[in-house]
Amino acid sequence: MSSFINQKDGIFPSVCSLDCPDQCGLLVHKKDGRIIKVTGDPNHPVTKGSICNKVRNITERIYDPKRLQYPLKRIGAKGEGRFERISWDEAIETITSRWKKNIRKNGPESILPYSFYGNMGLLNAEGMDRRFFHRLGASILDRTICSTAGAEGYKYTMGGSFGIDPEDTIHAKLFVFWGINAVSTNMHQVAIAQKARKKGAKIVVIDVHKNQTGRWADWFIPILPGTDSALALGIMHVLFAEHLVDREFLQEYTVGYEELQKHVLQYDPNTVSAITGVPVDDIVQLARMYGQTSPSFIRIGNGLQHHDNGGMNVRTIACLPALTGQWVVKGGGAIKGNSGYLAHNTAALQCPELLENKTTRVINMNRIGQALTELTPPIYSLYVYNSNPVVVAPETNKVIKGLSRDDLFVVVHDLFLTETATYADIVLPATSSYENTDFYTSYWHHYIQIQQPVIERYGEAKSNTEVFRLLAKAMGFTEACFEDSDEEMIRQALHYEENEHIDGIDFESLSTSQYLKAKDTTLFPGRLSTPSGKIELYSQSMEKDGYPPLPTYIPNVEESKFDYLFVPGPTHNFLNSTFSLSKKHIALEKELRLHMNVADAAAQGIQDGDRVKVWNNRGQCELVASIGENVLQGVVVTQGLWSDRPDMNQLVNALTPDRISDMGGGATFFSGRVNVTRIDES
């Protein structure tokens, strides 16, 4: 594959590597070998040249003077952030010699990788790293921090991560954005909805916070956190009661609709209103609007799955399009995710056969604090890449306690000296995506994309694939798969006869076209991947797995000692902890605020702009109060994962539980409770 590195000036195609559903096509503008500007690719069929502030200002991140340029060795106390420069040879030798000693003494499961999708490139996120740690025999990380609860719930209903083509939503007459701050996290779905609104479509937003998306909507419906399944069941009650369901579709394409009709009798509007905080009249009006408008489209967000009942929330909402037959109407249906259409050969990419011990222990990444402090036998070495667990993982104080262990050997591979990296023994400088070869699959639109290197490596930075090849060689691994180039790995991943949707997409065609679309993505008529081949309103699989077979409201775990439901949602100018160290992006976002209802604030003597302590039995933060009507009484909301500051403790995940959700091993970030107290500045 040709590289753009040697061309010092010009405009070159690229793709956004951030963990975002839009996965924009980009144009990188270079002068004298440096990126001077990043713009959207106007020819991309979905993103059409529009990009967010995060990426528009990405050069601030690529050329940030704080970016790591060479390997470092810790010379101070853990967490102090004092390091000295070393060579790559010394870094690799130090890591592998410690690991060899560890394996001899404690076994390979004493080593744990910790990563997620700080870079969505599939080679750098789940390629050579998986090969290496399989061969090493390390403990397996269950990467469930983001979307697994909802994916599992949706799968029970629809058979997999399959929704409608977002390009078709231009035809929708009703958009329901449910639990998603799409203005900040799915801007191109917003752009499509805006075009449809100009032709008469209506936009409804259901969320716990009247954020930018809520303010943009035609109708914002506030809801108490974790009660989304109850609202969906209340809508079903009205749809059946008022004969607004499509009986022909239900008979042909679903199983269990008769059982569902009887089941939802208990979810009358009065009962549901008491659970959700949504007025009775609004429940009835919403149900009628949904039942009488076609095509109607539901964009199911990440937020509502980050609860104890998160999987059931998504499973229940996923049933709604079937009731009104929206799946066979162009522009109707739902999207939770669309990654199923772009499934690639993960076995070829990750080589799971390298793992000799098939009973190797699996550690849920949401419990990393517990794993580092309580697990027996202990973890003695942690290798962190594509993630910053001190900021992004729940139970921050427990994570820090684990990382502070003197007997824990920590390696961090990153672009910056993150909060996690300050606890590392060895820090390795990482390349940005613009310095890598990689390929990308969106989990919203239907395009697969390729990245060719655009700029030279920053200092001595190396990609994940390079580092794991070096580690494999130093560990004495002789398997041929560790010699595969990035190009060869892409070829292996795209050779996947089991997915007809990517038939004909190979390395050559993708390199030539930059992006290619999955084929034949119409769901109906056809056969879903559920056991019945139909939409399963009643799921025998769920019953077998110990869940209610019909969608059911199950309350969250009650942390009754604390006054407020606490939801730390996403912000507009960061993406998780990415950009939280950037002066430019901090200036755009200004400050971390705690959104609080005016009645709750008045009861505690808190005024807008006051500094407040937010606390529970897990930890505390000091934030700035934002008082108004943007949240319901009894709810407080923050936005963004901010870095810590000496003058204000802002690590909001110090407050979040590390409980596991009902399905998929998912996170429960939004099911915690807190108290709020005004800080007396005097």
Side-chain angles (χ1 to χ4, degrees):
M1 180 172 64
S2 62
S3 168
F4 302 126
I5 293 176
N6 295 327
Q7 301 179 53
K8 300 298 183 184
D9 302 290
I11 302 174
F12 306 96
S14 185
V15 54
C16 180
S17 66
L18 298 178
D19 186 359
C20 168
D22 296 48
Q23 201 167 93
C24 297
L26 304 177
L27 295 178
V28 174
H29 302 245
K30 284 175 61 178
K31 184 175 177 60
D32 298 327
R34 280 175 68 96
I35 297 175
I36 57 171
K37 183 170 64 173
V38 176
T39 60
D41 181 352
N43 295 318
H44 193 284
V46 181
T47 59
K48 297 182 183 296
S50 299
I51 58 174
C52 67
N53 262 346
K54 307 175 191 73
V55 182
R56 189 175 294 110
N57 294 288
I58 196 76
T59 53
E60 301 281 340
R61 175 174 168 82
I62 297 171
Y63 299 115
D64 191 318
K66 298 191 297 293
R67 188 172 163 191
L68 297 171
Q69 297 190 57
Y70 37 77
L72 302 172
K73 177 175 67 175
R74 180 171 59 84
I75 56 173
K78 285 197 170 188
E80 187 179 355
R82 291 179 57 220
F83 294 87
E84 67 179 11
R85 181 177 180 174
I86 59 174
S87 68
W88 269 102
D89 287 344
E90 182 179 348
I92 297 296
E93 168 59 26
T94 301
I95 296 167
T96 54
S97 63
R98 285 292 296 267
W99 282 352
K100 290 173 182 177
K101 181 179 179 181
N102 229 336
I103 291 169
R104 286 194 299 269
K105 184 177 180 181
N106 304 301
E109 290 177 81
S110 64
I111 301 167
L112 177 70
Y114 190 98
S115 72
F116 204 62
Y117 290 95
N119 179 344
M120 288 293 289
L122 291 163
L123 299 190
N124 282 276
E126 52 182 58
M128 193 62 75
D129 60 318
R130 301 296 205 275
R131 297 182 183 188
F132 177 81
F133 286 112
H134 284 147
R135 175 63 178 82
L136 191 69
S139 288
I140 298 169
L141 185 73
D142 197 10
R143 293 170 172 85
T144 57
I145 203 166
C146 183
S147 60
T148 54
E152 192 71 10
Y154 190 88
K155 183 179 179 181
Y156 279 124
T157 303
M158 297 295 296
S161 184
F162 302 101
I164 69 169
D165 187 339
E167 294 177 80
D168 286 346
T169 63
I170 188 65
H171 302 290
K173 295 180 181 177
L174 174 64
F175 290 79
V176 181
F177 289 87
W178 200 323
I180 179 172
N181 184 5
V183 169
S184 297
T185 65
N186 193 188
M187 63 175 284
H188 294 93
Q189 185 65 76
V190 168
I192 295 170
Q194 185 70 6
K195 289 180 181 178
R197 177 153 65 177
K198 291 178 179 178
K199 298 188 293 183
K202 296 298 182 183
I203 297 169
V204 176
V205 171
I206 303 168
D207 214 326
V208 301
H209 176 215
K210 195 173 186 179
N211 48 40
Q212 292 195 57
T213 308
R215 296 192 292 272
W216 163 76
D218 296 308
W219 183 17
F220 172 69
I221 301 174
I223 186 172
L224 290 172
T227 65
D228 305 270
S229 57
L231 179 57
L233 289 159
I235 294 170
M236 294 180 198
H237 176 101
V238 177
L239 291 175
F240 279 114
E242 299 193 359
H243 308 289
L244 296 174
V245 298
D246 185 334
R247 295 280 175 182
E248 291 185 7
F249 182 91
L250 290 171
Q251 289 172 2
E252 184 171 357
Y253 294 115
T254 75
V255 294
Y257 76 91
E258 293 172 326
E259 293 93 331
L260 180 63
Q261 182 173 0
K262 296 174 184 176
H263 176 69
V264 299
L265 288 173
Q266 64 188 297
Y267 295 100
D268 60 274
N270 285 300
T271 299
V272 169
S273 179
I275 295 170
T276 63
V278 179
V280 169
D281 289 346
D282 287 355
I283 295 169
V284 175
Q285 182 183 343
L286 176 61
R288 288 172 178 168
M289 179 184 289
Y290 187 73
Q292 295 170 357
T293 308
S294 183
S296 61
F297 165 67
I298 304 176
R299 180 65 174 100
I300 306 173
N302 265 8
L304 49 84
Q305 72 185 326
H306 288 159
H307 288 286
D308 296 297
N309 58 10
M312 186 62 84
N313 284 337
V314 174
R315 184 274 197 276
T316 305
I317 296 168
C319 294
L320 285 171
L323 267 63
T324 60
Q326 290 305 303
W327 290 110
V328 292
V329 183
K330 192 174 184 66
I335 296 176
K336 163 62 176 73
N338 268 326
S339 58
Y341 295 119
L342 298 172
H344 56 281
N345 194 338
T346 56
L349 193 59
Q350 301 179 14
C351 300
E353 69 277 3
L354 292 171
L355 181 63
E356 289 186 4
N357 179 8
K358 304 307 180 186
T359 61
T360 295
R361 68 179 174 183
V362 178
I363 297 172
N364 188 303
M365 70 185 307
N366 296 300
R367 305 299 305 278
I368 185 62
Q370 183 270 342
L372 293 177
T373 56
E374 302 172 26
L375 192 65
T376 302
I379 297 165
Y380 286 108
S381 182
L382 186 72
Y383 187 98
V384 180
Y385 56 108
N386 287 354
S387 188
N388 183 10
V390 166
V391 177
V392 304
E395 292 256 26
T396 298
N397 291 329
K398 198 181 288 185
V399 175
I400 290 174
K401 181 181 178 182
L403 290 171
S404 301
R405 283 171 38 205
D406 289 333
D407 62 346
L408 180 71
F409 177 65
V410 179
V411 182
V412 173
H413 185 200
D414 208 303
L415 281 75
F416 295 91
L417 193 67
T418 63
E419 291 83 355
T420 304
T422 64
Y423 292 89
D425 298 280
I426 299 292
V427 178
L428 305 175
T431 51
S432 72
S433 64
Y434 303 96
E435 298 152 53
N436 297 338
T437 297
D438 219 323
F439 78 110
Y440 295 78
T441 57
S442 171
Y443 51 90
W444 170 64
H445 63 64
H446 291 181
Y447 290 83
I448 186 169
Q449 305 183 76
I450 199 161
Q451 173 70 60
Q452 303 179 52
V454 180
I455 53 174
E456 297 280 0
R457 304 295 171 83
Y458 189 83
E460 296 180 9
K462 295 184 185 296
S463 68
N464 288 337
T465 57
E466 289 178 284
V467 174
F468 286 113
R469 289 188 192 99
L470 290 174
L471 290 170
K473 184 176 181 180
M475 290 297 296
F477 299 164
T478 58
E479 289 80 1
C481 65
F482 295 111
E483 301 293 331
D484 289 341
S485 68
D486 292 345
E487 178 180 323
E488 289 168 334
M489 292 175 71
I490 295 174
R491 290 183 186 277
Q492 294 161 5
L494 293 179
H495 183 69
Y496 193 46
E497 295 178 356
E498 294 181 28
N499 182 9
E500 61 185 6
H501 301 297
I502 65 169
D503 183 40
I505 299 178
D506 56 20
F507 181 82
E508 282 73 23
S509 60
L510 193 58
S511 298
T512 300
S513 301
Q514 191 67 26
Y515 42 78
L516 290 169
K517 190 174 185 179
K519 302 174 181 178
D520 304 321
T521 58
T522 302
L523 287 175
F524 301 96
R527 180 177 175 86
L528 298 182
S529 297
T530 56
S532 66
K534 297 182 177 183
I535 298 171
E536 299 204 342
L537 305 175
Y538 184 105
S539 170
Q540 291 184 353
S541 295
M542 293 188 73
E543 192 170 29
K544 181 181 178 182
D545 292 342
Y547 303 108
L550 290 163
T552 303
Y553 170 64
I554 301 171
N556 282 328
V557 173
E558 182 65 33
E559 298 180 343
S560 57
K561 291 189 296 182
F562 303 99
D563 297 334
Y564 301 101
L565 296 162
F566 175 61
V567 177
T571 192
H572 194 69
N573 292 294
F574 304 164
L575 204 157
N576 298 322
S577 67
T578 303
F579 303 112
S580 65
L581 292 169
S582 165
K583 289 183 179 179
K584 177 73 172 182
H585 292 84
I586 292 171
L588 289 168
E589 198 58 38
K590 297 178 182 177
E591 64 183 352
L592 177 57
R593 300 180 72 87
L594 181 79
H595 297 271
M596 190 175 192
N597 186 273
V598 62
D600 290 331
Q604 293 195 223
I606 297 171
Q607 297 183 4
D608 191 71
D610 283 350
R611 286 182 65 168
V612 293
K613 182 175 78 169
V614 188
W615 58 278
N616 58 23
N617 59 327
R618 289 180 282 269
Q620 69 177 50
C621 292
E622 294 180 11
L623 309 175
V624 177
S626 181
I627 310 304
E629 300 285 353
N630 288 337
V631 296
L632 294 175
Q633 284 186 252
V635 179
V636 291
V637 171
T638 63
Q639 289 184 283
L641 295 178
W642 291 64
S643 291
D644 204 9
R645 280 173 32 185
D647 61 328
M648 186 177 287
N649 178 5
Q650 299 185 123
L651 297 179
V652 295
N653 276 325
L655 306 167
T656 56
D658 65 357
R659 295 191 303 271
I660 303 304
S661 64
D662 55 349
M663 298 176 196
T668 58
F669 289 115
F670 297 170
S671 283
R673 297 184 73 97
V674 297
N675 282 347
V676 181
T677 308
R678 180 178 176 273
I679 296 174
D680 187 347
E681 298 292 350
S682 63

